[in-house]
C-alpha cells in the first residue's frame, strides 16, 4: 500500500497498488500469450551476446594486458587490475549490444508511450523502424549513463569475485 496526499483535503488516502498476479492477469487480458514474452528476443540477444562480450573482455584484459608471471607461473591479479578488467568488461557488455536493449524497451513500453500505435511488430521490424527514423543515435540513446553505471558495478563484481577466488579458490 502507498499513502498519497489529497490536494483538496490535505489528508492522506490509501492507494492499493496491483500485485504481481494482478499485473499478469492484466497483461494476459490485453495482449494474450504474446504479452507474456514481450521483449524476450531483445533480452535473449542482449544477455547471450552481452554475457559473452563481458566475460571475454574481462579475461582478455586480465590475462593478456595485465597478467604478469613470477617464477611459479601466473600470479593473482592485484585488486586494481581485477577492478579495471571488470570495468572494461562492463563497457563492452553495453557498447556491443545496447541497440538490442533499446529495441526491447521500445517494444515493452510502446502501448503506454504511444497509445493506439501499431502493435504486434517483430523485434527486427521495430529495429528497422528505429534505424530509419533516428539512425545510430536512436539505437544508442541512453547508452552513456548505462555504461557509467556498468563500469562501477562490473568493477565491483570482478574485484569481489577475483578476491574470493584468490582467497578460497
Amino acid at each position: 500500500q502507498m499513502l498519497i496526499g489529497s490536494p483538496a483535503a490535505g489528508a492522506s488516502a490509501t492507494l492499493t497498488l496491483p500485485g504481481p498476479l494482478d499485473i499478469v492477469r492484466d497483461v494476459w487480458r490485453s495482449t494474450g500469450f504474446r504479452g507474456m514474452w514481450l521483449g524476450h528476443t531483445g533480452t535473449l540477444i542482449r544477455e547471450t551476446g552481452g554475457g559473452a562480450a563481458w566475460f571475454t573482455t574481462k579475461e582478455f584484459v586480465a590475462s593478456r594486458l595485465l597478467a604478469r608471471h613470477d617464477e611459479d607461473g601466473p600470479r593473482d591479479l592485484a585488486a586494481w587490475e581485477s577492478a579495471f578488467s571488470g570495468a572494461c568488461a562492463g563497457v563492452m557488455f553495453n557498447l556491443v549490444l545496447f541497440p538490442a536493449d533499446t529495441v526491447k524497451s521500445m517494444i515493452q513500453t510502446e502501448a503506454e508511450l504511444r497509445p493506439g500505435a501499431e502493435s504486434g511488430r517483430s523485434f527486427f521490424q521495430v529495429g528497422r523502424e528505429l534505424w530509419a527514423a533516428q539512425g545510430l543515435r536512436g539505437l544508442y540513446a541512453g547508452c552513456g549513463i548505462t555504461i557509467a553505471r556498468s563500469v562501477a558495478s562490473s568493477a565491483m563484481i570482478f574485484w569481489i569475485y577475483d578476491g574470493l577466488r584468490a582467497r578460497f579458490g
Side-chain angles (χ1 to χ4, degrees), residues 11-22:
S12 293
T14 301
L15 171 69
T16 303
L17 297 175
L21 294 178
D22 298 320

Side-chain angles (χ1 to χ4, degrees), residues 4-13:
I4 58 171
S6 171
S12 293

